[in-house]
């Protein structure tokens, strides 16, 4: 910006000044400063915005100290993202120093997805039991449900029966229905017998059996 005084031309940066009092005289100078608004630099997908700056997303640590592989670090959406997301199976954990975060792998039979760093609560995230497992009383171990039982997983502490109800059998036919069926069978057999004596004897035997 420019400053102009009546005592002569004067250029000044970041201000406007107007003076009066004639040439060579001193006057009152009014200075106005203009504040330039700061801007947040666009972060990469391996960074997030923290206190107005781009900082690196936390790294990930395997639950097996003998694992030779290096887990993938957390990532962000980039730009002005204010948090990173741990890989599936890893949870956000606070460090020994305030504001320090890491992604730690869940233990056996535990699971978690989309654990954000930092968490909304500011505390470490927690992993849940997988479906078909339940949490023990310490809250540290997931046990598999016994045979014939299951669970939805999560933080449940017991399993429920998984048996499928057996369809009920149809009721047995009544004695009357059985007699009717037997008589129909008898008549069909007798119809094929031409000899009257044999047919008579067969009918007596069939009637005795039906009775």
């Amino acid at each position: 910006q420019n400053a102009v005084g009546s005592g002569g031309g004067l250029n000044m940066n970041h201000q406007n000044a107007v003076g009066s009092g004639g040439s060579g005289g001193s006057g009152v100078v009014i200075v106005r400063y203009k504040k330039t608004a700061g801007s947040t630099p666009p972060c990469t997908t391996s960074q997030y915005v923290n206190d107005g700056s781009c900082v690196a997303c936390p790294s990930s640590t395997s639950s097996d100290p003998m694992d030779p592989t290096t887990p993938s670090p957390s990532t962000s959406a980039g730009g002005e993202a204010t948090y990173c997301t741990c890989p599936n199976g890893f949870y956000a954990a606070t460090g020994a120093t305030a504001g320090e975060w890491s992604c730690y792998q869940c233990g056996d039979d535990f699971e978690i997805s989309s654990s954000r760093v930092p968490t909304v609560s500011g505390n470490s995230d927690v992993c849940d039991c997988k479906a078909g497992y339940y949490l023990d009383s310490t809250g540290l171990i997931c046990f598999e449900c016994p045979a014939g039982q299951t669970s939805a997983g999560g933080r449940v502490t017991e399993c429920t029966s998984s048996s499928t109800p057996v369809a009920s059998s149809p009721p047995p036919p009544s004695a009357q229905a059985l007699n009717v069926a037997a008589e129909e069978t008898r008549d069909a057999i007798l119809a094929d017998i031409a000899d009257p004596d044999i047919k008579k004897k067969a009918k007596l035997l069939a009637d005795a059996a039906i009775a």
Side-chain angles (χ1 to χ4, degrees):
Q1 299 177 355
N2 298 322
V4 180
S6 59
L10 177 62
N11 293 327
M12 301 174 64
N13 291 328
H14 307 297
Q15 59 183 12
N16 289 325
V18 178
S20 61
S23 59
S26 62
V28 176
V29 178
I30 300 175
V31 180
R32 297 181 178 89
Y33 292 93
K34 182 178 180 181
K35 182 179 180 181
T36 303
S39 60
T40 302
C43 300
T44 67
T45 55
S46 61
Q47 300 173 317
Y48 71 105
V49 178
N50 185 18
D51 292 333
S53 300
C54 292
V55 296
C57 289
S59 59
S60 300
T61 302
S62 173
S63 59
D64 182 4
M66 303 302 293
D67 187 354
T69 62
T70 301
S72 300
S74 59
T75 57
S76 75
E80 297 182 1
T82 56
Y83 64 90
C84 300
T85 303
C86 295
N88 285 343
F90 289 74
Y91 68 97
T94 57
T97 305
E100 180 182 354
W101 290 88
S102 296
C103 293
Y104 281 96
Q105 189 174 20
C106 296
D108 293 339
D109 306 321
F110 282 92
E111 64 181 1
I112 194 172
S113 62
S114 303
S115 181
R116 57 177 288 173
V117 182
T119 60
V120 175
S121 65
N123 300 320
S124 295
D125 217 338
V126 292
C127 299
D128 293 328
C129 291
K130 297 178 180 179
Y133 290 77
Y134 69 97
L135 198 63
D136 75 334
S137 58
T138 66
L140 301 175
I141 303 175
C142 289
F143 289 106
E144 188 174 6
C145 292
Q149 296 186 5
T150 187
S151 77
R155 311 299 293 177
V156 298
T157 55
E158 60 182 13
C159 301
T160 57
S161 175
S162 60
S163 59
T164 303
V166 179
S168 58
S169 302
S174 64
Q176 182 180 1
L178 290 174
N179 287 338
V180 171
E183 290 173 355
E184 290 176 349
T185 302
R186 176 202 64 190
D187 295 342
I189 294 174
L190 294 176
D192 294 332
I193 300 175
D195 190 297
D197 292 334
I198 296 176
K199 179 180 289 189
K200 183 177 180 180
K201 292 178 181 180
K203 184 176 185 302
L204 291 174
L205 292 173
D207 289 343
I210 293 173

